[in-house]
Amino acid sequence: MAENGTGSSSPITYDDFQKVDIRAGTIVKAEPFPEARRPAIKLWVDFGDPIGIRKSSAQITAYYQPDRLIGRQVVAVTNFPPRQIGKFMSEVLVLGVPSDTGEVVLLSPDQPVPNGGRMY
């Protein structure tokens, strides 16, 4: 994406923003993903009705262990097309930001919210 000279991406319209479906969900299952090219964890995230449980592969092994992720709320883009990662189909993109060392830190609500709540 092009920079606009102020350190941020090019401006978009509100209609552009509305096209990205970002929702809160709760991790209900997490497993190591040793077959991935880069260390990753398989996640199953519950977005409630009507979306349900969707899978994601996330390169979050620096700060997170699979068993400690269960019950954690995260935010994810839910309207990207599924992407095959090895033998695993990733259906959503769980969002994070880089730490000062470049490792992924998950984005999550700071208060409990209903699964499936859409970001606005």
Side-chain angles (χ1 to χ4, degrees), residues 21-40:
D21 193 6
I22 300 173
R23 295 184 182 259
T26 301
I27 298 171
V28 295
K29 182 178 176 182
E31 297 178 350
F33 191 7
E35 308 89 345
R37 272 187 262 144
R38 295 177 61 194

Side-chain angles (χ1 to χ4, degrees), residues 76-98:
V77 176
T78 60
N79 65 334
F80 278 145
R83 182 173 174 203
Q84 190 75 41
I85 301 176
K87 294 182 179 182
F88 188 74
M89 183 64 72
S90 187
E91 301 169 312
V92 298
L93 176 65
V94 174
L95 299 176
V97 295

